[in-house]
Amino acid sequence: MATTKLGFIVQRPPYKSENPKLALTHAIASQSVEVYLNDGDIVTADIAFVGDGVLNCKKDQKAMDLYKLTSTETHVKMALLLDLNVLVCKEDLDRFGLTENDIVLNAEEFGAEMTVKVVPFAEITKMMEGVNHLLFF
Amino acid sequence: MATTKLGFIVQRPPYKSENPKLALTHAIASQSVEVYLNDGDIVTADIAFVGDGVLNCKKDQKAMDLYKLTSTETHVKMALLLDLNVLVCKEDLDRFGLTENDIVLNAEEFGAEMTVKVVPFAEITKMMEGVNHLLFF
Amino acid sequence: MGKFTIGCFSSLVGSMSLDFAVKLAGTALEKGHKVDLWVSGNATMLSLKGQRAFKDYSHLEKPLQELMQKGLTVTACEACAEARGYHKEHTIEGFKRHSMDWYLASAFDADRVLHIGGE
Amino acid sequence: MGKFTIGCFSSLVGSMSLDFAVKLAGTALEKGHKVDLWVSGNATMLSLKGQRAFKDYSHLEKPLQELMQKGLTVTACEACAEARGYHKEHTIEGFKRHSMDWYLASAFDADRVLHIGGE
Amino acid sequence: MKLAVFVSDYRVNVDTLERLNPEKLGIIFVQNGVYHATVKENGNSSSLLKKSANHYVLLDDLDTRGLGNSDVADNVKLVTYGDIVDLIFNEYDKTAWL
Amino acid sequence: MKLAVFVSDYRVNVDTLERLNPEKLGIIFVQNGVYHATVKENGNSSSLLKKSANHYVLLDDLDTRGLGNSDVADNVKLVTYGDIVDLIFNEYDKTAWL
C-alpha cells in the first residue's frame, strides 16, 4: 500500500497549445490508474495554475459554441467532480486584475463537492515540495 | 509575362521549430514554380533573416552529425546555389555580437555565385515594400 | 471579388491555427472570393482521413469537405506529409498533394496572401 | 540503477523534443536504468509507422526500434492518436497504446520523472 | 505599404512589430493575441496598444476565452471573421502573421 | 527539494523560474535554451545566468547550432546526455521542463 503524489503545474494560457487541456486530462486519469497497480496503491494528482496559466480558469468560455471544442473551463469542472485538488495562484489573479468572481470556482451543477482553492504562491510551493514528481505544462 | 515577388521573413531561431527550414525550402521552390505557370511568368523569392532569425545563419552547424538532420546552414547554401537573394540584418548580428566571420556567406563549394548580403534593417524594409506578398516565419 | 491564398504551417491539434484558417477560408468563400488553402509542416495533419471526432480535439474533416464542395481548393505539401507517414491512400478525398512550388504558384495570381507560420 | 519515466507531449517534427527524449532514453538505458517513454498530444506522431526518412525531417523509427530491443518501453496515448487518425494498424510494431492512466502508473514506481511539456 | 499584422499569441517572442513602420498599420488580435486587447497586468495595458495603428480584436476568440466586450480596451475595434476578410481585401495590401 | 529545471527555448514565455526557490537548483540548457549559455545581446549575458543555481549546457545542442565551447559563459558547465542522466539520478530529485 503506497501513495505516489504528482503535481501538475499549468503555466500557459489555454487554446494556443494543447498543453493545459492535456494537464487536466492526465491529472484526471489518476482516478482510473488503479487498474495498473496493486490493491491499495494509489496515485494522487494536484493541479496548480500559475502565471498565464490562471487564464485557463476564466468563466464563460464559449469554445464549444464557436469551435466545437471542449473548453478548459469544462475540464477544470471535471477535475473538481473527480475530487482533484485544484489550486489557483492568487498573486497571478491579482496581477491580471481577476477576482474569484471571474473564474470557475465549483462544479455544483455536476454535483461536485470539491471547489477551486485560490491560494498564495507559497501554498503552491508547499504542494511542489510535498509531491513525489512534478509535471510542468 | 508577369513577375510576382514574394518576401520570406525569418524571425525565429533554428531547430526548435520547423519554420525557418520551411521558409528556405518554400523559397527555393520558386525555382521550379514555372511548371504551374504560363510561359514567361515567374515568381521570385527574397529571404531576409531578422531578429533571432539571424541565428539560423551561424556557420559550422553539426545537425547532420548529431541528429541526422539537414542543418539550416545547408539550406541557406542551397538558396544561394539557386540564386536567391538572401539578406541578413546587420543590426541584429551586431546585437548578438556576431560578425560576417561567424555566418554563412557563400556556397562556393557547391559552385554558387550568389552571396549572403549583410544589410541594415532599412534595406530589408525596402525589400518588404517592393514585394507583392510577405510571408513571415 | 479576388483570389485569397492562405498558407498554414503551424498545426498542433490544439493550436487552433487550422481552425482559424478554415473558418477564415469559409468566410472568404461566402463573400465570393476564390480561396486556395495550402498546408505544410505539421499542418499537413489536416489532410489525413479517419480522424476520430472527439470533442476534446479540433476536428475539421467535415467543415473542410463542405467548403471543398463550395469551391475551396486545399492542398498539402507532399514531402511534409510523406515524412510524417501520411501517404496518398490516407488522404481525405478531394484534398490535393503537391510539392511546395504549388503554394508559390497559387500566390502568383493571388490578390492577397495570408501566411500563417509562427511557432 | 533506477526507473526513469519520460513523458513527451510537444512533438512537431522540427521541435526536436522527441529527438531529445529518445536520445536521453537511450543513454539512460545504456547506463542500466529501466526507461518508460510516454508520448501524448502531438508527440503520438512518433508511433506512426511508414514515415519516409528524408534528411530534412527528424526520423526516429529506426533508433526507436533499436532501443525497444534493448528494453525501452514506449507507449502512446490512445485517444490522442485516434483523434489524429493514427489507428492501431498504423502503429510501429512493439509501440504500445494505452489511456492516459498508463503514464501515471509508470510514474507510480519511477525514481525520476521528466515531463517534457512546454509549447 | 498598408500592412495588416496578425498577433496570435500573448507572449510574443519576436520583436518584428516594434520595427515595422508602414504607411498604414493594422494590428489584428486573434487566438491568444486577444489578451492584448483585454488584459491589464498590474494595471498596465499591453504595450501593443500604444503602437500607432488601427487595432482590431476577433470576437469569436474573445468569447472562446470567456472574455466579453466590456473587457476590451477603448481603442480596439471588435471584428468578426467577415470583417477580417474585408479588412484584408479593402483596407490593407499585405499581411503578416507574427 | 532539489530541482533540475530544463530550459529549451531562448525566449522563455513563462516566469516560473523567477519564482522557484528550491533548496538546490540546477538549470540545464538544452535545444534553443543553449543560447542562454552563449549569446550576449548588446553585450549582456542572459538573465538566467545570474540566477543562483548550478548551470549546465548540452554539448550536442551547442554543436548542432554552430556554437563552440569558447562561446560558453564561464559559470556554465558543458554536459553530455550521459551527464544529464547522472544529474537527474544523483544530484536532483525532481525535474521541471519549462
Side-chain angles (χ1 to χ4, degrees):
Chain A
M1 300 248 298
T3 297
T4 294
K5 295 180 184 178
L6 304 180
F8 289 72
I9 316 293
V10 181
Q11 323 167 75
R12 290 176 171 84
Y15 303 116
K16 187 67 191 182
S17 121
E18 211 184 350
N19 267 288
K21 183 195 74 184
L22 289 172
L24 286 158
T25 51
H26 280 74
I28 288 169
S30 61
Q31 298 302 303
S32 51
V33 69
E34 290 89 353
V35 60
Y36 293 102
L37 305 178
N38 293 323
D39 268 7
D41 289 346
I42 58 170
V43 174
T44 68
D46 287 355
I47 306 165
F49 293 93
V50 301
D52 298 348
V54 302
L55 297 168
N56 286 284
C57 303
K58 191 81 182 57
K59 268 199 299 212
D60 300 325
Q61 298 176 29
K62 304 274 187 284
M64 185 54 77
D65 302 338
L66 293 162
Y67 289 101
K68 297 194 173 131
L69 203 62
T70 313
S71 69
T72 51
E73 182 183 10
T74 304
H75 283 291
V76 172
K77 290 187 178 193
M78 288 305 292
L80 293 173
L81 182 62
L82 291 165
D83 292 329
L84 300 192
N85 196 25
V86 179
L87 309 174
V88 177
C89 178
K90 177 157 190 350
E91 289 91 334
D92 289 314
L93 287 179
D94 289 347
R95 183 158 60 95
F96 287 118
L98 296 171
T99 68
E100 297 202 352
N101 286 332
D102 299 309
I103 64 167
V104 193
L105 283 179
N106 60 60
E108 281 173 359
E109 71 271 39
F110 302 135
E113 288 172 14
M114 286 294 271
T115 55
V116 164
K117 295 174 193 72
V118 175
V119 297
F121 188 75
E123 282 291 313
I124 292 171
T125 301
K126 233 183 260 173
M127 181 273 270
M128 292 198 276
E129 302 269 358
V131 297
N132 298 89
H133 302 293
L134 288 167
L135 296 86
F136 280 72
F137 285 78
Chain B
M1 299 247 301
T3 298
T4 295
K5 295 180 182 177
L6 304 180
F8 288 73
I9 316 293
V10 181
Q11 324 167 74
R12 290 175 170 83
Y15 302 115
K16 187 67 190 184
S17 120
E18 211 185 349
N19 266 287
K21 183 195 75 186
L22 289 172
L24 287 157
T25 51
H26 280 74
I28 289 168
S30 61
Q31 297 304 303
S32 51
V33 70
E34 290 88 354
V35 62
Y36 293 102
L37 304 178
N38 293 325
D39 267 8
D41 288 345
I42 59 169
V43 174
T44 68
D46 287 356
I47 305 164
F49 292 94
V50 301
D52 297 349
V54 303
L55 297 168
N56 285 285
C57 303
K58 191 80 182 56
K59 269 200 297 212
D60 300 325
Q61 297 177 28
K62 303 274 188 286
M64 185 53 78
D65 302 338
L66 293 163
Y67 290 102
K68 297 195 173 130
L69 204 62
T70 312
S71 69
T72 50
E73 182 183 10
T74 304
H75 284 291
V76 172
K77 290 186 178 191
M78 288 306 292
L80 294 173
L81 182 61
L82 292 165
D83 292 328
L84 300 193
N85 196 25
V86 179
L87 309 175
V88 177
C89 178
K90 179 161 190 345
E91 288 91 334
D92 288 314
L93 287 179
D94 288 349
R95 182 158 59 97
F96 287 119
L98 296 171
T99 69
E100 297 201 353
N101 285 330
D102 298 309
I103 63 167
V104 193
L105 284 179
N106 60 61
E108 281 171 1
E109 70 270 41
F110 301 136
E113 287 172 16
M114 286 294 271
T115 55
V116 164
K117 296 175 192 71
V118 174
V119 297
F121 188 75
E123 281 291 314
I124 292 171
T125 301
K126 232 182 262 174
M127 181 272 270
M128 291 198 277
E129 302 269 359
V131 297
N132 298 90
H133 302 292
L134 288 167
L135 297 87
F136 279 72
F137 285 80
Chain C
M1 296 308 100
K3 177 178 169 187
F4 189 20
T5 297
I6 303 174
C8 189
F9 284 47
S10 56
S11 73
L12 301 166
V13 170
S15 92
M16 302 193 67
S17 289
L18 279 174
D19 300 75
F20 176 88
V22 169
K23 267 205 178 194
L24 191 69
T27 309
L29 275 177
E30 272 168 33
K31 284 180 175 277
H33 299 293
K34 171 168 167 36
V35 184
D36 279 358
L37 176 60
W38 166 257
V39 292
S40 187
N42 277 301
T44 54
M45 187 193 289
L46 187 65
S47 68
L48 192 60
K49 72 177 172 193
Q51 304 191 20
R52 293 251 313 257
F54 296 123
K55 289 206 184 313
D56 278 10
Y57 301 86
S58 293
H59 183 75
L60 297 166
E61 188 166 339
K62 202 163 150 255
L64 204 62
Q65 280 169 331
E66 287 168 12
L67 294 180
M68 286 194 284
Q69 279 170 5
K70 290 180 188 164
L72 177 72
T73 304
V74 53
T75 306
C77 170
E78 192 163 27
C80 300
E82 286 292 320
R84 286 164 175 77
Y86 309 158
H87 305 309
K88 197 160 196 279
E89 65 271 26
H90 306 139
T91 307
I92 291 173
E93 202 183 334
F95 212 118
K96 297 172 194 287
R97 285 156 48 103
H98 286 294
S99 53
M100 295 175 187
D101 37 24
W102 185 91
Y103 182 36
L104 279 70
S106 172
F108 173 78
D109 61 350
D111 296 288
R112 296 291 183 273
V113 174
L114 176 61
H115 174 78
I116 301 175
E119 286 130 51
Chain D
M1 298 305 100
K3 177 179 170 187
F4 190 19
T5 297
I6 303 174
C8 191
F9 283 47
S10 55
S11 76
L12 302 166
V13 170
S15 92
M16 303 195 67
S17 288
L18 279 174
D19 300 76
F20 177 88
V22 170
K23 267 206 178 194
L24 191 69
T27 309
L29 274 177
E30 271 168 33
K31 284 180 175 277
H33 300 292
K34 172 171 168 32
V35 184
D36 280 358
L37 176 61
W38 166 256
V39 292
S40 188
N42 277 302
T44 55
M45 187 193 289
L46 188 65
S47 68
L48 192 61
K49 72 177 172 193
Q51 304 189 22
R52 294 250 315 255
F54 296 123
K55 288 205 184 315
D56 278 9
Y57 301 87
S58 293
H59 183 74
L60 296 166
E61 187 165 339
K62 202 163 150 255
L64 204 61
Q65 279 170 330
E66 288 168 10
L67 293 181
M68 286 194 281
Q69 280 171 2
K70 289 181 188 164
L72 177 72
T73 304
V74 54
T75 305
C77 171
E78 193 163 26
C80 301
E82 287 291 319
R84 286 165 175 77
Y86 309 157
H87 305 308
K88 198 161 196 275
E89 64 269 27
H90 307 140
T91 307
I92 292 173
E93 201 182 335
F95 212 118
K96 297 173 196 285
R97 286 156 48 104
H98 285 294
S99 53
M100 296 175 186
D101 37 24
W102 186 90
Y103 182 36
L104 279 69
S106 172
F108 173 78
D109 61 350
D111 295 287
R112 294 292 183 274
V113 173
L114 176 61
H115 174 79
I116 302 175
E119 284 129 52
Chain E
M1 68 182 156
K2 297 175 184 170
L3 182 67
V5 176
F6 288 81
V7 176
S8 68
D9 253 327
Y10 184 44
R11 304 294 169 193
V12 181
N13 60 6
V14 294
D15 63 356
T16 316
L17 193 48
E18 292 157 36
R19 297 193 277 183
L20 293 172
N21 202 13
E23 174 200 339
K24 179 173 174 178
L25 177 64
I27 299 179
I28 306 178
F29 296 118
V30 298
Q31 300 186 338
N32 281 355
V34 303
Y35 293 119
H36 290 285
T38 58
V39 157
K40 290 188 179 188
E41 279 192 65
N42 302 316
N44 301 313
S45 299
S46 165
S47 63
L48 296 189
L49 295 186
K50 283 158 208 155
K51 179 106 187 161
S52 172
N54 298 306
H55 294 86
Y56 311 94
V57 62
L58 178 58
L59 191 55
D60 279 21
D61 289 357
L62 283 174
D63 287 344
T64 294
R65 287 155 187 79
L67 302 165
N69 307 7
S70 61
D71 298 311
V72 175
D74 289 340
N75 63 333
V76 182
K77 197 176 163 192
L78 272 82
V79 291
T80 63
Y81 273 98
D83 295 329
I84 290 180
V85 171
D86 292 343
L87 286 171
I88 291 174
F89 273 90
N90 306 332
E91 302 284 329
Y92 300 94
D93 49 33
K94 289 175 202 166
T95 67
W97 181 284
L98 298 190
Chain F
M1 67 182 157
K2 297 174 184 169
L3 182 68
V5 176
F6 289 81
V7 176
S8 67
D9 254 327
Y10 183 43
R11 304 294 170 193
V12 181
N13 60 7
V14 295
D15 63 356
T16 318
L17 193 49
E18 292 157 35
R19 298 194 277 182
L20 293 172
N21 203 12
E23 174 199 337
K24 180 175 174 178
L25 177 65
I27 299 178
I28 306 178
F29 297 118
V30 299
Q31 302 185 339
N32 280 356
V34 302
Y35 292 119
H36 291 283
T38 58
V39 158
K40 289 188 180 189
E41 279 192 62
N42 302 317
N44 301 313
S45 300
S46 166
S47 63
L48 296 189
L49 295 185
K50 284 158 206 153
K51 179 105 186 161
S52 173
N54 297 305
H55 295 86
Y56 311 93
V57 62
L58 179 57
L59 191 54
D60 280 21
D61 289 356
L62 282 174
D63 288 343
T64 294
R65 287 157 186 78
L67 302 165
N69 306 8
S70 61
D71 298 310
V72 175
D74 288 342
N75 62 334
V76 182
K77 199 177 163 191
L78 272 83
V79 292
T80 62
Y81 273 97
D83 295 330
I84 289 180
V85 171
D86 292 343
L87 286 170
I88 290 173
F89 274 89
N90 306 332
E91 302 285 329
Y92 300 93
D93 48 35
K94 288 175 203 165
T95 68
W97 182 284
L98 298 190

